[in-house]
Amino acid sequence: MAPIRNARVIFNSIPAPNTYPEPGKTTVYDDSHTIDLETVPLDGGFLVKTLVLSIDPYMRGRMREPSAQDSYSPPFTLGEPLANVAVGLVVRSEHSAVKMGDYIYGFLPFQEYTVVPDPAHIRPDIFRILEAKEGVPWSAYVGVCGMAGSTAHHGWHEYADAKPGETVFVTSAAGPVGGTVVQLAKADGLKVIASAGSDEKVSFVESLGADVVFNYKKEDTRTVLQREGGIDIYWDNVGGHILEAALDAAHNKARFIECGMISAYNGEPYGPRNLTHIISKELKINGFVVRNLYPKYRDQFYKEIPPMVASGQVKYMEDRSYGLESVGEAIVSVQKGTNKGKKVVIVTENNIGKLGKDGWNV
Amino acid sequence: MAPIRNARVIFNSIPAPNTYPEPGKTTVYDDSHTIDLETVPLDGGFLVKTLVLSIDPYMRGRMREPSAQDSYSPPFTLGEPLANVAVGLVVRSEHSAVKMGDYIYGFLPFQEYTVVPDPAHIRPDIFRILEAKEGVPWSAYVGVCGMAGSTAHHGWHEYADAKPGETVFVTSAAGPVGGTVVQLAKADGLKVIASAGSDEKVSFVESLGADVVFNYKKEDTRTVLQREGGIDIYWDNVGGHILEAALDAAHNKARFIECGMISAYNGEPYGPRNLTHIISKELKINGFVVRNLYPKYRDQFYKEIPPMVASGQVKYMEDRSYGLESVGEAIVSVQKGTNKGKKVVIVTENNIGKLGKDGWNV
């Protein structure tokens, strides 16, 4: 078999602090490489065809100087492909842990085909051979059944200390993390206030069962939270002014789960000026990085969540782009919030699985 | 016996937000009242002579509009005496719980004599009949052996999760809370970095055994923390820019104990702009109000701390003012940090107990 294209997306330059990445400059699509799938040496490893790549907000933090230690993941390497959680299909294998035809979940470089020396090479803490499950497209395994869903599930179970009848406020609630939190909170008997950035997203979050959903671009968060009588739990995906409003609205002994601060990633961060509430209201604020919770919650997660997705009990919204050429724009969209649900890049269209109408798996 | 003066200090007007209270305006000394100690009706209660009053930073938060719910204690009542923790001597009693000659600890109004209907009236959660202990002046019971010491002790035990060899940074370390935290941390085998606002205070904190002590007005906190290799625990008494520096210097999984934010009480609060560290470093930030920890730690505290003070194992610095006339200035001094150690007002000089040289009980 003749060599075929092995396109990839290179981390090409570091964006200035507090600016958005630029497709074609920060990230560059490169189709100059080829690979011979039959003859490429595996050296005891295996060859993976990338099916779907996850595009996540945290990736912005990896686009930094190697010396800058201000994010929880290592920086991307200039001139090398980006990498993130992905689902791939094993095309050939010399490794005892995987066989041809396996669908695997792990950290993959942003390229069409990759020779992996060992599962440990693509993150032993997350590597997994996936089981096909009716109603769960493979793409869901990088979202609601993958890192994003784990983030919601693990963070909620570790830090929410949720009690029925309490009120939680969830930001970025149409995203795969926020949307899952909304559903976990409803399952736990809480009142859910949720915000999202468009009317379409609001409709989706309403379909998840949230009690009060608003478009934060049209309604003032502080006003809504006050009107609703305050909050016991805040799931923070945004930081800044919204965090400030949540601090004002917090009840005594409220729990703040700090999952993300998208407002601080691409602009000058705003510092909330009402932090004295932390003391007077005896708040518990916990920041977390999901990978450190994997050992405690991972088995529980895979046992619970994919079946709930299959049955429709847990819903999600997915926003697909197609082809590695779309990666640059996909990355910007999750930074700006113009995506509609979990952003994924379908690298190879076959074998992914169907979504419901309008991209909602409802 | 003829009626005698019963002077008091009235809460006279609410200071503008973010300004210092003004003696003579915010608080007014009033010696127009009298009391007949022999004939004043007790109605089943008891008559207390105020010996020593505590002056604490948190009192600023009580000087607010009754409607403003932004502090953890109820507002002072305009036209009525201030109130705070105090030690008093029971002069007469019709109540079975106390007898003449008892030294009691509780919340007392800022006046020379008070008829108390019942111990519950002066805060059942803190009321206590004190035991005389050689080497522990009664004034210590409103400081290192009282609310301030409890704050340090209870907060440290509840939230520090201290491990030998870790590093803690303590602010306002010459104060009764910070100074006690320094000594508890050293007893737990930690490296202690401590800051204070004058060279005299620095000397005192060094005498407590802190490893690195600096005058934050002369040395940049961020620079010191970086030079010392970062911190695992931050005991916050100040907030604002110092909190921001501590966030920058925090190690992964550091604990932030939010006890006070003096920088935000009398000026425009500064909002730290590096809160993303909460996520990336997986910080645990706990705010607390000591009274909610009393039930859990109070007996342990009174068993441990006064003997350690008596033996000199726990040291403290006390800054005494004399007479209710001095209350207004005393309040301002703890807001500005011009006090030297735990600020107390000696209302009646007899029976208080001696301090060591220079006001240090060392």
Side-chain angles (χ1 to χ4, degrees):
Chain A
M1 187 170 153
I4 59 169
R5 184 190 71 185
N6 189 12
R8 52 192 201 148
V9 181
I10 299 297
F11 180 44
N12 185 63
S13 72
I14 298 166
N18 306 322
T19 66
Y20 287 107
E22 285 181 48
K25 185 177 165 195
T26 310
T27 56
V28 170
Y29 173 74
D30 167 24
D31 64 359
S32 64
H33 287 231
T34 60
I35 187 169
D36 187 319
L37 300 181
E38 288 177 356
T39 63
V40 61
L42 302 185
D43 294 331
F46 53 96
L47 176 63
V48 178
K49 179 182 188 178
T50 304
L51 300 182
V52 54
L53 291 164
S54 182
I55 305 293
D56 296 291
Y58 91 97
M59 293 171 71
R60 177 65 183 84
R62 302 189 63 182
M63 298 176 174
R64 67 181 194 275
E65 298 289 347
S67 59
Q69 301 190 332
D70 61 349
S71 188
Y72 38 88
S73 288
F76 290 127
T77 304
L78 282 169
E80 294 292 320
L82 302 170
N84 198 17
V85 292
V87 172
L89 176 62
V90 177
V91 177
R92 284 170 53 207
S93 177
E94 294 174 356
H95 198 288
S96 59
V98 298
K99 62 180 191 303
M100 194 177 77
D102 279 348
Y103 286 82
I104 60 160
Y105 175 65
F107 251 72
L108 288 179
F110 277 39
Q111 57 190 14
E112 290 175 292
Y113 295 94
T114 304
V115 175
V116 179
D118 189 273
H121 200 77
I122 52 176
R123 292 273 302 273
D125 56 335
I126 68 163
F127 174 81
R128 195 173 190 92
I129 297 173
L130 301 171
E131 282 177 72
K133 196 176 282 289
E134 182 69 28
V136 185
W138 294 117
S139 57
Y141 283 96
V142 301
V144 65
C145 297
M147 186 167 64
S150 302
T151 300
H153 174 272
H154 301 2
W156 183 257
H157 285 291
E158 182 73 7
Y159 298 116
D161 191 18
K163 293 173 266 293
E166 287 191 327
T167 299
V168 60
F169 172 43
V170 184
T171 47
S172 305
V177 176
T180 306
V181 171
V182 165
Q183 295 171 85
L184 293 172
K186 284 312 297 175
D188 280 351
L190 278 76
K191 171 181 171 181
V192 176
I193 306 171
S195 64
S198 75
D199 292 348
E200 184 183 0
K201 290 179 180 179
V202 165
S203 296
F204 171 67
V205 179
E206 285 171 344
S207 79
L208 301 179
D211 301 277
V212 178
V213 192
F214 65 100
N215 180 341
Y216 69 86
K217 294 174 182 170
K218 292 183 173 177
E219 276 196 275
D220 177 56
T221 298
R222 184 176 267 99
T223 306
V224 173
L225 297 182
Q226 299 291 356
R227 186 184 68 214
E228 294 298 327
I231 61 177
D232 301 293
I233 303 172
Y234 174 48
W235 186 283
D236 194 5
N237 284 317
V238 295
H241 289 281
I242 305 299
L243 172 56
E244 189 172 77
L247 286 162
D248 276 344
H251 295 157
N252 283 344
K253 297 193 177 280
R255 285 79 67 197
F256 278 48
I257 305 173
E258 294 300 328
C259 176
M261 293 194 183
I262 191 78
S263 70
Y265 297 167
N266 302 285
E268 185 63 32
Y270 172 75
R273 293 188 295 179
N274 57 353
L275 298 186
T276 55
H277 286 314
I278 297 172
I279 302 167
S280 57
K281 296 178 177 180
E282 302 200 298
L283 304 181
K284 286 190 186 304
I285 302 180
N286 283 290
F288 79 104
V289 177
V290 65
R291 67 164 175 271
N292 296 320
L293 295 174
Y294 287 150
K296 185 167 175 185
Y297 291 106
R298 198 154 175 262
D299 290 343
Q300 180 191 348
F301 173 77
Y302 279 107
K303 198 152 55 180
E304 286 177 12
I305 299 296
M308 291 170 84
V309 170
S311 71
Q313 199 184 339
V314 164
K315 302 168 185 174
Y316 66 100
M317 182 158 61
E318 190 172 279
D319 182 343
R320 295 180 171 183
S321 299
Y322 293 89
L324 287 172
E325 305 92 321
S326 70
V327 162
E329 290 295 346
I331 287 172
V332 173
S333 76
V334 300
Q335 296 299 322
K336 294 188 173 173
T338 54
N339 59 314
K340 293 171 182 171
K342 174 69 188 104
K343 189 72 195 174
V344 300
V345 170
I346 307 298
V347 181
T348 305
E349 206 164 349
N350 58 331
N351 299 316
I352 292 299
K354 292 274 177 280
L355 287 180
K357 69 176 170 61
D358 305 329
W360 299 12
N361 182 51
V362 294
Chain B
M1 187 171 153
I4 59 169
R5 183 191 71 185
N6 190 12
R8 50 191 202 149
V9 181
I10 299 297
F11 180 44
N12 185 63
S13 71
I14 297 167
N18 306 323
T19 66
Y20 287 107
E22 285 182 48
K25 185 178 166 194
T26 310
T27 56
V28 169
Y29 173 74
D30 167 25
D31 63 359
S32 64
H33 288 232
T34 60
I35 186 170
D36 187 320
L37 300 182
E38 288 177 355
T39 62
V40 61
L42 302 185
D43 294 331
F46 53 97
L47 176 63
V48 178
K49 178 181 188 179
T50 305
L51 300 182
V52 54
L53 291 163
S54 182
I55 305 293
D56 297 291
Y58 90 97
M59 293 171 71
R60 176 65 183 83
R62 302 188 63 182
M63 297 176 174
R64 66 181 195 275
E65 298 289 347
S67 60
Q69 300 189 333
D70 61 349
S71 189
Y72 39 89
S73 288
F76 290 126
T77 304
L78 282 169
E80 294 293 319
L82 302 170
N84 199 17
V85 292
V87 172
L89 176 63
V90 177
V91 177
R92 285 170 53 208
S93 178
E94 295 175 356
H95 198 287
S96 59
V98 298
K99 63 180 191 304
M100 194 177 77
D102 280 348
Y103 286 82
I104 60 159
Y105 175 65
F107 251 72
L108 288 179
F110 277 39
Q111 58 190 13
E112 290 175 291
Y113 296 94
T114 304
V115 174
V116 179
D118 189 273
H121 200 77
I122 52 176
R123 291 274 302 273
D125 55 336
I126 68 164
F127 174 81
R128 195 171 189 93
I129 297 173
L130 301 171
E131 283 177 71
K133 196 175 281 289
E134 181 69 28
V136 186
W138 294 117
S139 57
Y141 283 97
V142 301
V144 65
C145 297
M147 187 168 63
S150 302
T151 300
H153 174 272
H154 301 2
W156 182 257
H157 285 292
E158 182 74 7
Y159 299 116
D161 191 18
K163 294 172 265 294
E166 287 191 326
T167 299
V168 60
F169 172 43
V170 184
T171 47
S172 305
V177 176
T180 306
V181 171
V182 165
Q183 295 172 85
L184 293 171
K186 285 312 298 176
D188 280 351
L190 278 75
K191 171 181 171 181
V192 176
I193 306 171
S195 63
S198 75
D199 291 348
E200 184 183 359
K201 290 178 179 178
V202 165
S203 297
F204 171 67
V205 180
E206 285 171 343
S207 79
L208 301 179
D211 300 277
V212 178
V213 192
F214 65 100
N215 180 341
Y216 70 86
K217 294 174 182 170
K218 292 184 173 177
E219 276 196 275
D220 177 57
T221 298
R222 184 176 268 101
T223 305
V224 173
L225 297 182
Q226 299 291 356
R227 186 183 68 214
E228 295 298 326
I231 60 176
D232 302 293
I233 303 172
Y234 174 48
W235 186 284
D236 194 6
N237 284 317
V238 295
H241 289 281
I242 305 299
L243 172 56
E244 189 172 76
L247 286 161
D248 277 343
H251 295 157
N252 283 344
K253 298 193 176 281
R255 285 78 68 197
F256 278 48
I257 305 173
E258 295 300 328
C259 176
M261 293 194 183
I262 191 78
S263 70
Y265 297 167
N266 302 286
E268 185 64 32
Y270 172 76
R273 293 188 295 179
N274 57 354
L275 298 186
T276 55
H277 286 314
I278 297 172
I279 302 167
S280 57
K281 297 178 177 180
E282 303 199 297
L283 304 182
K284 286 190 185 305
I285 302 179
N286 283 290
F288 78 104
V289 177
V290 65
R291 68 165 175 270
N292 296 320
L293 294 174
Y294 287 150
K296 185 167 175 185
Y297 291 107
R298 198 154 175 262
D299 290 343
Q300 180 191 348
F301 173 78
Y302 279 107
K303 198 153 55 180
E304 285 177 13
I305 299 296
M308 291 170 84
V309 170
S311 71
Q313 199 184 339
V314 164
K315 301 167 184 174
Y316 67 100
M317 183 158 62
E318 190 173 279
D319 182 344
R320 295 180 172 183
S321 299
Y322 293 89
L324 287 172
E325 305 92 321
S326 70
V327 162
E329 290 295 347
I331 287 172
V332 173
S333 76
V334 300
Q335 295 300 321
K336 294 188 173 173
T338 55
N339 58 315
K340 294 171 182 171
K342 174 69 188 105
K343 189 72 194 173
V344 299
V345 171
I346 306 298
V347 181
T348 305
E349 206 163 350
N350 59 330
N351 299 316
I352 291 299
K354 292 272 178 281
L355 286 180
K357 67 176 171 59
D358 304 329
W360 299 12
N361 182 52
V362 293

